[in-house]
Amino acid sequence: GDSVTQMEGPVTLSEEAFLTINCTYTATGYPSLFWYVQYPGEGLQLLLKATKADDKGSNKGFEATYRKETTSFHLEKGSVQVSDSAVYFCALIKGGSEKLVFGKGTKLTVNP
Amino acid sequence: KAGVTQTPRYLIKTRGQQVTLSCSPISGHRSVSWYQQTPGQGLQFLFEYFSETQRNKGNFPGRFSGRQFSNSRSEMNVSTLELGDSALYLCASSLASYTDTQYFGPGTRLTVL
């Protein structure tokens, strides 16, 4: 079946450091790809998405590019802030299933 | 525009009881999905409703059920609660199809004692 694999962390960075969280997927067809973020005690918030190969999603300084050749959707940010501390989930969805398939999540802690 | 709301936010039940959770989607959204989040299993899909019909179902036992009303509000029910049902239950709504972004509510934290 379809699956998402992401680095599990935890990841600890200093403020203004560069962030990369790796995400790869296994799926037939052409899934749409997402990054969601979960802050402590809250639900999931959509961070960015890409619906076809070579699309780049971006939001709040975060970016990810849909790479079909490597089945990857790595999340990057050039300069993290303390407020970026959260758990990040990579996910995919395909037509016909209507369900999001999530990775295990990566906990990010940014220290001042 | 108001977001997805879930009630109650917290619940404590004992084994063998049943529980009903409620979800109100974003206005105009007709699809509602439910997910279970646990530290061990992560986020797992329970089921999805569209226009009062269950359109997709995950791999959960029949103790987990749901329904959707004509105003798109949805409820999920868990009968004969087990300790392992303790989890954060998240509801997400979208306009209609898989191409539409799913927006999540804050979740209901269920603790089974």
Side-chain angles (χ1 to χ4, degrees), chain A residues 51-70:
Chain A
T51 58
K52 61 183 186 297
D54 300 324
D55 266 2
K56 177 187 280 189
S58 61
N59 185 28
K60 299 180 182 179
F62 290 90
E63 292 183 341
T65 301
Y66 189 165
R67 301 287 189 199
K68 191 159 180 65
E69 64 275 14
T70 55

Side-chain angles (χ1 to χ4, degrees), chain B residues 2-71:
Chain B
V4 178
T5 58
Q6 292 186 245
T7 56
R9 291 293 309 276
Y10 302 92
L11 265 178
I12 299 176
K13 293 286 188 179
T14 57
R15 280 181 297 174
Q17 289 187 308
Q18 75 165 19
V19 67
T20 299
L21 313 181
S22 181
C23 172
S24 292
I26 292 171
S27 177
H29 285 193
R30 296 169 62 193
S31 170
V32 174
S33 298
W34 289 89
Y35 295 84
Q36 181 196 64
Q37 184 177 24
T38 60
Q41 299 300 315
L43 282 151
Q44 295 185 286
F45 173 78
L46 281 154
F47 28 66
E48 184 254 352
Y49 287 86
F50 177 78
S51 292
E52 302 179 66
T53 300
Q54 186 180 87
R55 195 160 57 171
N56 284 281
K57 189 178 189 305
N59 296 323
F60 279 80
R63 300 185 296 107
F64 292 81
S65 63
R67 60 178 176 169
Q68 186 181 34
F69 302 94
S70 58
N71 62 357

Side-chain angles (χ1 to χ4, degrees), chain A residues 36 38 49 95 97-98 100, chain B residues 35 37 56 98 101-102 104:
Chain A
Y36 280 88
Q38 187 174 36
K49 70 175 186 180
S97 72
E98 311 297 336
L100 284 163
Chain B
Y35 295 84
Q37 184 177 24
N56 284 281
Y98 82 99
T101 299
Q102 293 189 23
F104 284 79

Side-chain angles (χ1 to χ4, degrees), chain A residues 31-58:
Chain A
S32 295
L33 302 175
F34 303 83
W35 278 100
Y36 280 88
V37 59
Q38 187 174 36
Y39 298 99
E42 298 185 13
L44 301 175
Q45 297 179 24
L46 176 67
L47 185 57
L48 52 84
K49 70 175 186 180
T51 58
K52 61 183 186 297
D54 300 324
D55 266 2
K56 177 187 280 189
S58 61

Side-chain angles (χ1 to χ4, degrees), chain A residues 4 28 55 62 66 72 74 78 81-82 89 94 97 101:
Chain A
V4 174
T28 56
D55 266 2
F62 290 90
Y66 189 165
S72 65
H74 304 321
Q81 306 300 312
V82 173
F89 293 92
K94 283 188 343 187
S97 72
V101 176

